[in-house]
Amino acid sequence: MATIVACASLPKAKHTRAVALADTISRADLVLVGDEADAAALISAFGSSRPTVEVHRALSLGNRVGRSTVHRITAFLPRDSTSTLCTLLAAFDAIPEAWIHGYQLQVVMRHTGGVLPQMIANSYHADHVRLISGDLSTPGIEELCAESSILSVADPPFDSRAFSTAMDCGIATVVLSTASIPDVGRGYVGGLIADLSHPASVHVALLHALRLQELGFPSPDAWEEFALRVHGPAPARVEVHRLLEPAVQAR
């Protein structure tokens, strides 16, 4: 039976954390790490008699650090739902004025008349809110996902294109729902639920989703590649280690 050790690192983790594991994992057959510097540190610590060391993107929690520093929230809301928009705007307006320069809200919502644009114009952080109306194609939704920090979808149906696209992209997503258990997203680690009747619940869920985005979790296709890599012809025993700084562990 082969032994595989997987070491996942956060951005800016000290590479001495990898070296500290060298004695523990030196008898493994394969060591997978998420950072080139971690790999080099382990190879140096192992010396001539060492296991194979490889770098895999699924173990790099810094693979999205190149994204914009602006927190761009994209929300898909039901057509002409003034109550849903009111809740979302109240949650967004709760962001302190000193922070709002780093936040943007995109509301994707079909509407008739001028009521909804006026609601946005009257909101406290109106200068940071953009309304997108009309139908979006699947490539259009994918483009929105790619440029967004997180997504939010109100009462999505089971076949929601917005939510399924978000899952495929691996983006953190907040489901705004009046139901205790929505039909979508079960088992998706990037999904959070907010009570659509309480703006405070929506505000907290959005902030938690942004925290997930900041951690830079790898996309689902990276994890699929990782599963294929560790699932060899012979059974393997996999050990998982996290290369975390103490301050991060305390969180």
Side-chain angles (χ1 to χ4, degrees):
M1 177 179 290
T3 298
I4 300 173
V5 176
C7 300
S9 301
L10 285 173
K12 301 179 182 179
K14 296 178 180 177
H15 302 301
T16 53
R17 303 282 292 176
V19 176
L21 290 171
D23 290 339
T24 304
I25 63 180
S26 61
R27 295 187 180 182
D29 298 287
L30 171 65
V31 177
L32 296 168
V33 296
D35 186 275
E36 292 283 356
D38 284 333
L42 282 172
I43 290 172
S44 177
F46 286 143
S48 57
S49 178
R50 62 176 177 84
T52 301
V53 180
E54 296 180 5
V55 177
H56 198 287
R57 65 185 182 122
L59 298 172
S60 174
L61 298 187
N63 66 334
R64 297 183 182 179
V65 293
R67 285 194 173 190
S68 172
T69 55
V70 175
H71 299 304
R72 184 173 290 110
I73 303 167
T74 299
F76 290 80
L77 305 185
R79 180 188 182 104
D80 284 327
S81 178
T82 56
S83 60
T84 304
L85 179 60
C86 184
T87 297
L88 179 64
L89 290 176
F92 188 70
D93 284 345
I95 296 173
E97 191 168 1
W99 300 355
I100 196 59
H101 67 279
Y103 292 81
Q104 293 179 1
L105 174 62
Q106 297 184 133
V107 180
V108 183
M109 187 178 192
R110 289 176 291 175
H111 65 92
T112 55
V115 175
L116 299 183
Q118 191 60 46
M119 288 176 63
I120 291 175
N122 292 337
S123 64
Y124 189 70
H125 294 316
D127 292 341
H128 299 268
V129 183
R130 173 191 175 203
L131 178 61
I132 302 173
S133 59
D135 293 323
L136 285 175
S137 63
T138 298
I141 296 175
E142 292 174 348
E143 184 177 350
L144 281 177
C145 285
E147 68 181 19
S148 300
S149 303
I150 64 171
L151 252 66
S152 181
V153 188
D155 285 326
F158 185 76
D159 57 351
S160 168
R161 285 190 302 150
F163 192 87
S164 61
T165 303
M167 287 182 61
D168 290 341
C169 294
I171 185 171
T173 305
V174 176
V175 174
L176 309 178
S177 177
T178 53
S180 57
I181 304 179
D183 292 332
V184 299
R186 298 184 184 184
Y188 178 48
V189 296
L192 297 94
I193 302 174
D195 187 343
L196 193 50
S197 61
H198 292 87
S201 173
V202 177
H203 177 77
V204 170
L206 292 176
L207 293 185
H208 276 295
L210 288 170
R211 176 56 179 152
L212 284 179
Q213 184 269 340
E214 289 172 353
L215 287 174
F217 284 103
S219 59
D221 63 316
W223 287 110
E224 290 177 6
E225 290 177 4
F226 178 75
L228 291 174
R229 179 65 187 90
V230 301
H231 183 66
R237 181 169 65 91
V238 181
E239 296 179 4
V240 179
H241 295 268
R242 295 176 298 170
L243 304 181
L244 306 180
E245 301 238 17
V248 176
Q249 287 178 320
R251 296 176 188 172

